[in-house]
Amino acid sequence: MTNDYLQKIRVAAADKEDIEFELDRAELMLQEAVTEALSHGEDIAAVAEVAELPPEDVAKLLVQKAEPGPVLPS
């Protein structure tokens, strides 16, 4: 392989890692926003619709909030 190919691979790998980081961050922010809304009494069905998540997934976030420990992206 030439250095040009290796450099393209390095750049592509770094770009992919950056995008994965941003996706993880966005997912965590969504989880935090959902759990905050639920903890303030918002309806699960309404939150699920706005978050574009199945109500079952929203309910799982509510259960995770009640458990000790940090909420981590899945």
Side-chain angles (χ1 to χ4, degrees), residues 6-22:
L6 294 176
Q7 184 60 25
K8 285 181 182 181
I9 292 169
R10 281 187 195 98
V11 169
D15 287 348
K16 181 180 179 239
E17 184 176 347
D18 185 50
I19 290 168
E20 288 171 345
F21 174 80
E22 288 300 320

Side-chain angles (χ1 to χ4, degrees):
M1 278 190 173
T2 65
N3 282 338
D4 289 340
Y5 293 126
L6 294 176
Q7 184 60 25
K8 285 181 182 181
I9 292 169
R10 281 187 195 98
V11 169
D15 287 348
K16 181 180 179 239
E17 184 176 347
D18 185 50
I19 290 168
E20 288 171 345
F21 174 80
E22 288 300 320
L23 182 59
D24 289 345
R25 184 179 144 300
E27 187 172 320
L28 183 58
M29 290 177 63
L30 176 59
Q31 288 176 351
E32 289 174 353
V34 165
T35 56
E36 183 178 355
L38 294 173
S39 70
H40 285 92
E42 291 295 331
D43 180 62
I44 288 179
V47 171
E49 182 179 343
V50 172
E52 298 180 5
L53 294 170
E56 300 80 28
D57 288 354
V58 173
K60 287 178 190 174
L61 291 175
L62 187 59
V63 170
Q64 284 178 351
K65 173 106 171 96
E67 295 174 354
V71 175
L72 300 175
S74 51

